[in-house]
Every structure is written in structure tokens, then in C-alpha cells.
Amino acid sequence: MIGFLLRRGVGALSLMVGVTLLSFCLLVYFGPDQTYSLLGKNPSAEQIAALRLQLGLDSGFFERYWHFIGQLFSLDLGYSWSSGERVVPLLLRSASVSLALLLPGFILGHLLALALAMVAARFQGAWPDRLISTVSMAGMSISTVVVIIALQAWLSSSGQTWFPVRGFSADSLGEYLRHVAMPTLALMLVSIGYHVRIYRAVLCREVNQDYVRTARAYGAGTLAIMFRHVLPNSLLPIITRVLFSIPVLLVSGSLLLEAYFGVPGIGKVSFDAITNGDQPVLLAVVTLSGVALVLIQMFADALYRLADPRLRPGG
Amino acid sequence: MICLALLCGCGEKTAPPPSDKVYRHAMDQATVNLDPASAATIYSTFVVNNLYDTLFMYKYLQRPYELKPNLALAMPEVSNDGLTYTIRLRPQVHFIDSEVFADGKGREVTAADVAYSLQRHFDPKTQSQGAWLWQGRIRGLDQWAADGADYAQSVAGLEVVDEYTLKIHLTRPYPQLTYTLANAFSAVVPQEAVDYFGPEFSRNPVGSGPFKLESFDTSKAVLVVNTRFRKLAVDLEAEGYNPAMHDGSGVAAIEGRTPPFIDRLEFHFVPESSARWAAFRRGELDFTLAPNEVLDLALESTSPPELAADLKADFHMRVAIEPAVLFNVFNMDHAGFGRGADPAQAQRQHALRCAIIAGFDWQAHNERFYYGLGEVFPGVIPPDVAEFDPEMSTASIERDVDKAKRLLADNGWNDQTLPTLQFGVPSSVTQRNIFEQFRSFMMDIGYPRDKIVLKQYATFGDLNRAWKRSELPLVNKGWGLDYPDAENLLQLFYGPNRTPGSNDGNYQDDQYDQWYEQASVMQPGPQRTELYRRMNQQLVDDCAAITGLSRTQVLMWNRRAIAYPDRAMVGGHYLRYVDIVDPSDS
């Protein structure tokens, strides 16, 4: 396994060089330009030239790229042009908030979706399957914004005082749960439909396999078949789905949830960096998403081997 | 368990003690930078003015706006030639305690700090957005910057007479100087803090204002009271208290008391209007601008604006004209719409601009995008500025499609000859709607649909760059007044300010420039007002811009707060006067 990971690591390195080069290229040539915003209302041509020089915008492409690579290796990505804050602490702080916000919904959403998909697969074609599929489709069709606005409107008008309309607090476990409950509910409502549809498709394919019929013929119970045979054999696509949701969670967070519920997470930081043309933050976010994806890919490959004996050497 | 572990990394505890008076102020945009040198927006201004001191500030209740001393002991003494301003500071004003000071105790604010705070705007390292307010105005300051911005070198125009006295020597009279010293850009900072924190000074404010920062992120800034803030009792009469206007707000209760009255001031950044409104209705926020989307629910009527009956029990409301102008300026450098290469072409293009102006329907624009609450006026001087001319002809804001068609026909403009008009907007649904409405107006006067073209930019920064590079024929923008003097708007058309300066339309006229230069050194008075009005009329006669509209803001606040909110010139300074009736409602 270690040898396998090392080989994948070497391959990933070249992929990461490609990712950083491409993202750097895109941002340098097509990224937003903050020069004029940084200079206020009445800049002179000389001030613009001086600022561009100061920000290194007039340096050659490769000079800038090597500087950026140097920053990456030293884990010092400089300062945000907008806020003046160091980029690395900014991202660490906001990513931890995003995780704290999204993790409950992420875990519960996947678990609930899996459970519903198993019920649907077990009763394929019958009313439970039809009901779950229809509700999932409806969930997929409703926009995230609509779900959030409806929840907040209800919170505002219902008179209940348990959950705040917006805000985020980590002062205590109770406060955390109070603030995270509604975003979690919103996240589950909007994501569960997608998960159910995918998991159901995977599980349905599996329950129609010959070995399931054989197991039934041997008198195995439904639960035993589903949990001991069908689920393990469906793990590869499920692992893929779960793992590849993580970079999105880590890097872009959930912009809409953060924006509407007033959570200082990484989605908001990324969005602000895009709209403000904050290149140091934007570069860090884009590069880290690429790196996270590559690492997740490696991790997924390793998990595939653990989950499926056929993928192991000599398997 | 993972979530619990993450919680440890989510920062300090932020909940206030239940007995604290907490005021939660919602803002429709965020600020990301608390360095006064970057306080270019009303959002930054609100926070900065509560963390730092400016020499002067606007009186809480006086309208039209009027300045009063803040960190300064009195209004400045101005020399007869208008070139020297002597400013005396209040003694015994201290910066907050901070690690940046040798013993951790905040030291006294001195005249040298004021000089430093102005000087650093000209240091390229600061990346100041406010330097333009003093550019070419203070003797030796621009040269100091050109010579390398060495703080060991003194600036002739910033003479520190003693600990509490600063003399500012100007290159030419600058009647607006005192206004600029009430602006958040001019807030007084200690050099130790700037040197200690470097770029991160923007997140580590060390001021002498009524509050100090407790926490700051993308969703809110939490300030707590600065217990060392000077004790000065409120004199409501001096603040411009008018019982007829202010009685309902309850501000009479603060007479004679010493601000600040609240323990904790929270700025919540909530751009999403539905979330802001839901949180405000629920009582989680104490102040908001009523979003346009809810005005039909919030208001019983718009003329005159009256709060809906079901909201009256819980909320106060007042409407105020925003001291800003929305307009569309023609780019005079543009081959199709500009001043033209020869007199004949100049006349044709003048007619084309006038036709476009005549075709623009301000009333419909106001109704569609500002709920009919905006104030439409001719020229660029808005009604809430003293130099506004109520007698000025309104012909330039009245739609006249026949006149527009006639102008086009008489000057040889037709489907084939009309130039393509690229309408630049940042990417948003509202901006797209504004474009569609503009195109429909132009089609009414005979402009071919395919010649009014949308040019979308991913961000406002990109659009701003296009304006500054003079790439678009029309600059559709808003300008918020930095001070209540029409000069701040008229400089937008002053020739030497052409792009990349503030004159985005590259308007150039010798007569206009001469009037501007003449007026810019004059103290307020009838003569100067006359010059301002002449310039304003010339802009209308030249058809230099489709103008103008000032938005009307509907300010709403919870009845538990004693306040008379202002989202304009007072710039957040008023928050020290806010009180909470019943803290247990927090």
C-alpha cells in the first residue's frame, strides 16, 4: 500500500504543477483587476503605475509564477489585498468555521440518503421506492435559495425562539447546536435528493445481481443481504460520491448557507476574493482546491483497494 | 466529536453578558478593512469612526449638516488668506491600551499623530484610497512622497507647533479642508500600531474612539465600549435638536448624559436583503435600511412615506435622501458620442447626446428600480446640498420622445448612421434589468435594438477598469458625496481630473475649468453658489450626462433603541449617542 501511495504521490506531483500553472495562468490573464479599486476615487496614472509595480503586476509571467511557487512551498501565501490579513490564517480560520457549519449536514445527509436509497432499492418499483424517488426529485428541483429564504421567513414569523434567523456562535455546545440546526436542515433538504438518486441507482443495480438471488435462495434475510452483501459491493461509487464532496466542502464551503445565515466561512471568503479581485486569496483558494482534489483522489484510490479485494495486487 | 474539535478553532467567545446594552446595526455590505486609509465606503466609515477619532464630526441632529469639534478642541482658526489652518487638540485623549505601546498602556494623542495620520496617506506603502482629498493641497506633502516618504523628514505644510497644536499650511485655499478632517480617511492613528502590525494593521485597530474592536470577520464586527473615552455630556441644543423633528425618536432622553451609552456595538454585514429583513423583524437586528423588495410590506404609503400599521408598534422609521447622485456620463473621448473632431461633427454628436437624454425616462426608472422614492433633479447638484437651485429648469429630466426624434432627424442620424452604444454593467440581474430598460427607452426614440449592446463585466472592479481606460461610451455610476459641498460633484467634470482620475467622462471645457478653479478656492457664499450653478447649467446645456437621481433611504430601527439614525454624512459617528431602553430585550 505504501509503495502504491508513493507511486500515486509522484504522479500527483506533476498533476499539481499542472493545476497551479493553469490556475495561475487563468487568474493572471483573466482574473479580476483590483488596481483601480485599491486607489480610491481619483487616481493618477503615476499612482496606478506605482501600485501595479508594488503588487508585482508588471513582472513577467514566469517571475510571478516562481514567486508564487516559492510562497506555496514556504506555506506563506502573503497578505490579502483587500483585508490585509495573512492568507494562510485567514483560510484556516474560515475553513474550520465552514467545516463546523457543514459537517453535521454533510454526514447526516449522506447517512439518511443511504438509508432511504436502501429502502428504495429493497422495494424497487413498489410504493416506497416511488415515494422516495418522487420526494427526492422534488428536493432536487427546489433551489437552495428558496429553501433558505422559506426557512428564515418561517423562523422570523413563527414566534419560536429556539433557533436564530441568522448568525453563528461557537461559545458553547448549546449555542453551536442552536446556530447550526437550521443551516444543517437546509443543507440536508437541498442535498439529500441528489444523494438518494445516485445511491438508489447504485444499490438497485446491485440488488438485481445473481449473487443476491442466490443469497435469497439460501434463505438469507433482507437486512443481512442488504448490509452484508449489497452495501459492501456498492461501496466504490458511494466512496467516490462522499469523498469528492469533501473538497467542495473544504474550499468553497457553501456560499449560500454562509451568506444567508451570516457565517464567516470559506465560501464567503472565496466569493469576496472573486468579486474584489483579491488575487492572493483567490490563488490560494483555487490552488488549494486543486491540491485537495488530488489528495482526495489518492485517498479514494487507497480506499477502493481496501473496499474491493479485486483491486489489490494479485486480487 | 469532529465538530466539537472544530469549535475550538472557531475563535474567542463572543456572547455578551445579559445585562449589557447591545446595539446590532445591520449593513447591506461588508467591510473587510479597518485601516482609516482604506475607509472608502460608507460601511468602512461606520466602523472606523467608532474605533478612531477624527478632528471634527457632524452634529448629530443638525440638518443641513454642520461640523463640530471632536478630537479638536474647537473649530480651526483660518488665516485671512485661507492658507493656514490652526487646529488645537483636546488634551488627555488616549489611544486604547495595546501591545504596540511600550508599557501596553495607550498613550496620549498628540498633534504629531494627526500630522502622521495625514502623511501616511501619501506613503505608497499605505495604498491609501483617501490621499486624493489632500493631493496638491498641503505644502510639501506631495514632494515628501516623491522623495521617498521618509517619516524622519518633516513636511512644511504639517507644522506641529506643540503637543496639542497643529498648523496646516496649504498650497492654495481649500475651503473643504475642514470637511475632509471629519472624514474617516483622516482618523488619527498611532505610528507604533502601523509599524507593529504592518499590513495587518487593517485588522488590529488602535484608536481613541468610543469603542474598541473585540472581533471581526466577514459576517460581523463586534465593538465594545472604550472605558477611557473622554467624558463629554450631550448638549442636544448644540447638536441641532428640533422637537418637531426629533421628539418621536426619544433622543431627548440623552440630554446631559455622557456617551457612549451602549456597552457593545455590533455591525452585522448582511447583503442578502431577505435574511436582513427576517432577522430585523425577529428583533435580532436593531437597525436596517428597508430593502426595496419589502417596501410594499413595510410602507403603508410612499407619498408621504408611512410605516405599515403592523410594524408601528415595534419599529421606528424615517426616510432620508442619500447624499449621492446616480447618473450616466457620456465619454467625451468616445468617437461616436464625444465632443467630435470638428465643429460640424461636434454639433451632430451634441444633438445625439441631447436626444438620448430626452429619451431617458427618469420617472419610469425611479418607479422601476427605486420604488418611486428617489429624488430626480436636473444637473449634478442634488437637492440635499445647499447649492441646489430649486429654480433650475427641469426640462432635462422630462422625457420628450418627439424632441429626441426631431433632434436625431435634424442632425442626420438614422438606423445606419447611429453609432453602437455599449452599455457596461457589472454582472447582476438588476443591472441587466437596468440595461433592458435603457434599451427600451432608446428604441422608443428610434435607436435600433441591435445598436444598444450590453457589455457585462464579471466584477465591478473590471467595469471600473474599463471606465478608467476610457473604453465605454457611457459611464453609468453613482457618486457618494464625501462632504456636503457641491464642489465634490463638480470636480467630476473638471478637465485635469480626466481618466484615470474622477472625471470618467473626460469632460473638458475651458470655461468650466476656469469657473471651477475660481470657485474651488472660495469660501461658501452667494458668489460661489452662483459659479456652482453656472457650471451645473453648463453641464446640462452640453448634454454631458443623463442626470440625475438621489435615492431615498428608508431607515428602520427597533423601538428599544433610542436613536436618530443617519446613513450619510454623520457616517457612524452618531452611534455613540444610541441608547437601549431595555437591555433584557437584547
Side-chain angles (χ1 to χ4, degrees):
Chain A
M1 179 63 84
I2 292 174
F4 166 77
L5 284 176
L6 279 174
R7 279 197 304 280
R8 296 307 302 249
V10 172
L13 210 59
S14 57
L15 193 57
M16 281 193 230
V17 171
V19 166
T20 55
L21 188 63
L22 188 65
S23 48
F24 193 80
C25 199
L26 285 172
L27 282 176
V28 166
Y29 292 109
F30 303 105
D33 188 338
Q34 203 188 11
T35 319
Y36 296 93
S37 311
L38 283 173
L39 280 170
K41 289 174 166 178
N42 200 357
S44 65
E46 295 75 31
Q47 286 170 320
I48 292 165
L51 181 65
R52 291 187 68 81
L53 189 69
Q54 200 180 336
L55 297 176
L57 296 177
D58 285 339
S59 309
F61 176 82
F62 285 104
E63 189 184 338
R64 290 177 66 186
Y65 180 64
W66 287 125
H67 176 68
F68 171 60
I69 293 293
Q71 284 186 319
L72 270 183
F73 276 104
S74 64
L75 287 179
D76 176 4
L77 297 171
Y79 294 91
S80 155
W81 287 352
S82 303
S83 69
E85 190 175 6
R86 277 193 172 281
V87 172
V88 172
L90 167 70
L91 294 186
L92 287 176
R93 178 168 50 84
S94 48
S96 65
V97 172
S98 282
L99 271 183
L101 172 77
L102 301 172
L103 214 52
F106 179 79
I107 294 170
L108 291 174
H110 279 288
L111 288 179
L112 190 58
L114 201 53
L116 288 171
M118 286 175 80
V119 172
R122 167 64 186 82
F123 298 101
Q124 196 180 347
W127 72 264
D129 178 29
R130 287 204 298 273
L131 178 67
I132 289 168
S133 297
T134 308
V135 173
S136 301
M137 186 60 84
M140 286 165 68
S141 313
I142 300 174
S143 139
T144 310
V145 175
V146 171
V147 170
I148 296 173
I149 291 176
L151 271 178
Q152 289 189 320
W154 171 72
L155 285 172
S156 173
S157 58
S158 65
Q160 67 79 32
T161 53
W162 292 354
F163 305 112
V165 171
R166 58 181 302 285
F168 186 76
S169 170
D171 286 353
S172 65
L173 181 61
E175 275 295 286
Y176 167 68
L177 293 176
R178 216 165 71 79
H179 283 89
V180 89
M182 283 299 134
T184 298
L185 183 60
L187 180 62
M188 287 173 64
L189 283 173
V190 296
S191 65
I192 217 163
Y194 293 94
H195 299 330
V196 167
R197 298 284 296 179
I198 289 172
Y199 295 158
R200 180 193 167 277
V202 171
L203 292 165
C204 280
R205 195 187 59 207
E206 215 52 42
V207 294
N208 291 322
Q209 299 283 344
D210 290 346
Y211 73 87
V212 174
R213 194 168 55 243
T214 308
R216 284 213 183 97
Y218 274 110
T222 301
L223 284 179
I225 290 173
M226 292 305 285
F227 282 98
R228 244 185 251 157
H229 303 291
V230 172
L231 191 56
N233 283 325
S234 310
L235 271 182
L236 292 194
I238 292 173
I239 288 172
T240 308
R241 172 81 185 165
V242 173
L243 285 184
F244 281 85
S245 312
I246 293 175
V248 180
L249 195 73
L250 275 174
V251 180
S252 64
S254 180
L255 171 64
L256 290 173
L257 283 178
E258 290 173 14
Y260 278 85
F261 285 104
V263 181
I266 197 162
K268 191 84 173 63
V269 168
S270 308
F271 180 74
D272 289 345
I274 294 166
T275 51
N276 294 333
D278 194 342
Q279 282 201 12
V281 177
L282 207 47
L283 263 177
V285 167
V286 172
T287 307
L288 290 180
S289 342
V291 170
L293 267 171
V294 170
L295 291 177
I296 293 285
Q297 175 75 60
M298 280 173 63
F299 187 56
D301 284 349
L303 277 185
Y304 291 161
R305 291 181 148 222
L306 289 176
D308 190 341
R310 291 170 300 178
L311 297 175
R312 293 174 202 157
Chain B
M1 289 305 290
I2 297 169
C3 290
L4 283 176
L6 286 167
L7 286 177
C8 302
C10 288
E12 63 273 50
K13 290 184 185 299
T14 53
S19 59
D20 271 8
K21 290 182 174 180
V22 183
Y23 176 73
R24 301 178 179 94
H25 187 93
M27 301 213 275
D28 50 337
Q29 292 292 328
T31 177
V32 291
N33 190 318
L34 303 182
D35 183 344
S38 299
T41 63
I42 189 75
Y43 314 105
S44 311
T45 297
F46 258 68
V47 187
V48 165
N49 278 343
N50 284 288
L51 294 167
Y52 292 94
D53 264 328
T54 50
L55 287 170
F56 306 99
M57 61 188 273
Y58 292 92
K59 292 178 179 174
Y60 181 21
L61 305 167
Q62 186 73 52
R63 303 293 180 275
Y65 294 103
E66 209 174 280
L67 289 172
K68 68 169 189 172
N70 184 28
L71 179 61
L73 198 55
M75 294 306 285
E77 296 155 25
V78 186
S79 63
N80 288 336
D81 59 5
L83 291 174
T84 302
Y85 282 61
T86 304
I87 300 164
R88 294 177 211 289
L89 268 60
R90 285 181 202 283
Q92 293 303 309
V93 172
H94 290 83
F95 289 113
I96 58 167
D97 295 345
S98 166
E99 66 209 278
V100 307
F101 301 113
D103 55 356
K105 295 290 284 179
R107 64 164 175 78
E108 193 174 10
V109 180
T110 66
D113 292 313
V114 181
Y116 167 76
S117 302
L118 293 175
Q119 225 172 318
R120 70 183 286 264
H121 282 278
F122 288 74
D123 180 347
K125 283 202 297 290
T126 307
Q127 291 180 9
S128 166
Q129 298 187 39
W132 67 278
L133 286 172
W134 304 288
Q135 207 130 39
R137 306 282 193 175
I138 297 177
R139 262 174 46 200
L141 194 48
D142 296 77
Q143 191 55 47
W144 173 81
D147 292 344
D150 177 3
Y151 290 97
Q153 304 296 317
S154 60
V155 174
L158 295 170
E159 184 191 349
V160 178
V161 179
D162 59 41
E163 262 190 309
Y164 305 118
T165 312
L166 177 74
K167 280 193 178 187
I168 300 179
H169 301 285
L170 301 174
T171 54
R172 60 181 191 276
Y174 184 22
Q176 294 82 17
L177 177 70
T178 319
Y179 285 134
T180 69
L181 299 176
N183 193 299
F185 283 132
S186 71
V188 181
V189 306
Q191 185 170 4
E192 297 96 316
V194 178
D195 293 345
Y196 182 88
F197 290 115
E200 292 197 295
F201 173 62
S202 58
R203 304 187 58 82
N204 294 281
V206 180
S208 55
F211 299 93
K212 57 185 180 180
L213 189 70
E214 184 179 272
S215 67
F216 177 42
D217 56 42
T218 52
S219 68
K220 67 178 173 181
V222 177
L223 281 60
V224 293
V225 71
N226 171 13
T227 49
R228 294 181 77 187
F229 189 65
R230 55 189 169 276
K231 310 289 181 208
L232 291 172
V234 175
D235 177 354
L236 275 180
E237 200 185 330
E239 295 292 341
Y241 179 73
N242 174 355
M245 192 187 290
H246 304 120
D247 243 5
S249 64
V251 289
I254 66 170
E255 170 70 11
R257 294 172 58 204
T258 310
F261 307 123
I262 50 175
D263 302 293
R264 192 175 161 96
L265 171 60
E266 295 183 359
F267 292 100
H268 292 254
F269 313 132
V270 200
E272 294 70 25
S273 47
S274 66
R276 195 167 70 247
W277 182 246
F280 177 72
R281 286 292 313 267
R282 167 81 176 271
E284 289 178 18
L285 298 169
D286 294 312
F287 168 86
T288 185
L289 280 186
N292 277 354
E293 297 89 323
V294 303
L295 282 180
D296 53 347
L297 296 173
L299 299 183
E300 197 78 50
S301 73
T302 54
S303 184
E306 196 184 329
L307 196 59
D310 61 324
L311 298 176
K312 278 182 179 163
D314 296 325
F315 306 111
H316 285 291
M317 181 210 70
R318 84 178 187 90
V319 291
I321 295 179
E322 187 182 23
V325 180
L326 302 179
F327 48 14
N328 300 273
V329 185
F330 289 103
N331 178 2
M332 291 298 182
D333 278 358
H334 193 274
F337 300 88
R339 61 181 66 83
D342 58 68
Q345 191 191 2
Q347 192 196 328
R348 282 187 79 217
Q349 293 189 181
H350 175 262
L352 172 58
R353 293 195 304 271
C354 294
I356 291 172
I357 290 171
F360 194 88
D361 189 341
W362 274 110
Q363 297 311 324
H365 188 68
N366 189 13
E367 287 295 332
R368 176 67 56 214
F369 297 103
Y370 307 106
Y371 208 68
L373 289 170
E375 188 89 18
V376 180
F377 56 89
V380 295
I381 302 180
D384 60 335
V385 172
E387 294 87 2
F388 173 71
D389 181 3
E391 304 299 319
M392 190 173 180
S393 162
T394 55
S396 65
I397 51 171
E398 283 158 14
R399 192 174 202 220
D400 190 340
V401 174
D402 292 337
K403 177 187 164 190
K405 285 180 173 172
R406 204 169 49 247
L407 276 168
L408 292 179
D410 290 351
N411 288 276
W413 293 111
N414 55 43
D415 287 7
Q416 277 72 45
T417 56
L418 280 167
T420 298
L421 194 155
Q422 273 195 323
F423 195 89
V425 295
S427 183
S428 87
V429 175
T430 305
Q431 292 297 329
R432 170 91 202 197
N433 291 342
I434 287 175
F435 160 74
E436 294 292 355
Q437 191 192 52
F438 178 79
R439 181 158 65 178
S440 76
F441 292 159
M442 293 304 104
M443 285 164 65
D444 289 347
I445 67 168
Y447 227 105
R449 181 185 169 85
D450 59 356
K451 286 202 167 180
I452 307 288
V453 179
L454 178 69
K455 173 92 172 149
Q456 274 189 314
Y457 292 84
T459 66
F460 178 77
D462 291 340
L463 175 61
N464 195 25
R465 179 176 58 181
W467 289 338
K468 295 299 178 192
R469 290 181 175 176
S470 203
E471 291 170 358
L472 292 166
L474 200 60
V475 179
N476 42 318
K477 69 185 301 186
W479 180 274
L481 269 81
D482 299 280
Y483 38 80
D485 184 327
E487 181 271 344
N488 192 234
L489 289 158
L490 295 167
Q491 58 88 24
L492 296 174
F493 298 87
Y494 178 50
N497 284 352
R498 70 195 322 279
T499 52
S502 54
N503 179 0
D504 288 323
N506 300 303
Y507 183 76
Q508 172 73 56
D509 181 89
D510 292 343
Q511 177 66 74
Y512 184 94
D513 289 352
Q514 196 187 328
W515 284 338
Y516 177 81
E517 282 157 16
Q518 206 180 328
S520 68
V521 296
M522 291 166 73
Q523 290 294 334
Q527 257 186 315
R528 191 182 76 163
T529 300
E530 176 53 29
L531 278 177
Y532 279 2
R533 289 177 177 175
R534 258 191 253 166
M535 283 187 265
N536 200 28
Q537 186 60 53
Q538 175 158 333
L539 294 174
V540 171
D541 295 343
D542 270 359
C543 294
I546 311 169
T547 181
L549 179 140
S550 285
R551 288 177 292 209
T552 297
Q553 301 166 332
V554 178
L555 302 98
M556 293 184 68
W557 65 104
N558 197 301
R559 282 192 176 271
R560 75 188 196 95
I562 294 175
Y564 190 74
D566 178 281
R567 198 173 167 275
M569 291 301 156
V570 185
H573 272 126
Y574 81 88
L575 291 169
R576 69 190 61 184
Y577 301 119
V578 170
D579 198 5
I580 296 294
V581 180
D582 180 7
S584 62
D585 280 356
S586 297

